[in-house]
């Protein structure tokens, strides 16, 4: 409907494909270090902990940043127990999409927010972004 399109219009770009104008989605990417990006794609990590809240809702890309997380022995041990090599996980690419459906302030810690995630969809083909990745949000393509 026209009302639905009007609400979604800022999230879409017009592109040309085979001489036709088509609408292509402009989706944000969230930068996440490995092994957390992999855990999100496997559906094992359903909360992303951040120091700031977000108003972003809907399907987002997960970008596995080039640097990996260090000093988180609990996660490292989980991967060792599954016989997964953290250094073999993809980095510097979009690894899939997930729905960010809510953000809640932590009851335990000041300055911590829980970004709630569901419905991960691992990418069939990992893609490097054409735009420069940022520490939190960025538009990876176009």
């Amino acid at each position: 409907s026209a009302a639905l399109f009007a609400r979604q219009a800022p999230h879409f770009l017009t592109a040309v494909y085979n001489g036709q104008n088509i609408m292509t989605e402009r989706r944000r990417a969230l930068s996440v270090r490995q092994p957390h990006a992999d855990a999100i794609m496997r559906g094992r990590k359903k909360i992303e902990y951040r120091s700031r809240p977000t108003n972003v809702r809907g399907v987002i890309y997960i970008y596995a940043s080039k640097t990996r997380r260090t000093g988180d022995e609990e996660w490292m041990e989980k991967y060792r127990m599954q016989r997964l090599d953290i250094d073999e996980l993809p980095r510097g690419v979009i690894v899939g999409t997930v729905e960010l459906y809510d953000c809640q302030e932590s009851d335990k810690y000041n300055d911590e927010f829980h970004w709630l995630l569901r419905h991960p969809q691992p990418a069939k083909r990992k893609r490097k972004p054409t735009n420069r990745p940022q520490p939190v949000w960025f538009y990876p393509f176009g």
Side-chain angles (χ1 to χ4, degrees):
S1 78
L4 176 63
F5 179 78
R7 283 197 315 256
Q8 292 178 343
H11 303 289
F12 286 79
L13 298 173
T14 301
V16 177
Y17 178 73
N18 285 343
Q20 294 180 320
N21 287 336
I22 59 170
M23 300 303 285
T24 58
E25 193 169 352
R26 186 171 187 216
R27 184 175 290 165
R28 290 180 184 178
L30 177 63
S31 295
V32 180
R33 291 181 178 174
Q34 289 289 23
H36 298 296
D38 184 72
I40 290 170
M41 288 299 97
R42 292 174 184 263
R44 293 189 176 130
K45 187 173 193 292
K46 297 178 187 217
I47 300 172
E48 176 64 12
Y49 301 96
R50 297 284 172 146
S51 61
R52 294 180 185 225
T54 184
N55 291 324
V56 173
R57 299 292 184 273
V59 177
I60 59 171
Y61 288 119
I62 296 296
Y63 169 74
S65 63
K66 289 184 178 182
T67 58
R68 81 176 183 120
R69 177 123 176 126
T70 58
D72 193 340
E73 287 305 314
E74 179 183 341
W75 277 99
M76 303 304 175
E77 184 58 30
K78 286 180 184 179
Y79 273 78
R80 275 189 222 103
M81 289 174 61
Q82 295 172 39
R83 297 179 188 201
L84 294 171
D85 185 352
I86 294 168
D87 293 322
E88 301 269 328
L89 295 174
R91 286 190 254 162
V93 293
I94 300 293
V95 294
T97 62
V98 69
E99 181 187 357
L100 171 55
Y101 70 95
D102 201 4
C103 176
Q104 300 173 351
E105 192 169 0
S106 172
D107 293 335
K108 280 186 171 180
Y109 304 105
N110 291 335
D111 300 325
E112 182 178 273
F113 294 87
H114 300 176
W115 297 12
L116 305 180
L117 310 171
R118 65 183 174 199
H119 307 306
Q121 295 292 315
K124 292 178 183 163
R125 182 174 62 97
K126 312 293 190 262
R127 292 176 54 198
K128 288 187 179 187
T130 55
N131 290 337
R132 185 175 181 201
Q134 300 298 312
V136 182
W137 292 115
F138 72 100
Y139 290 100
F141 308 110

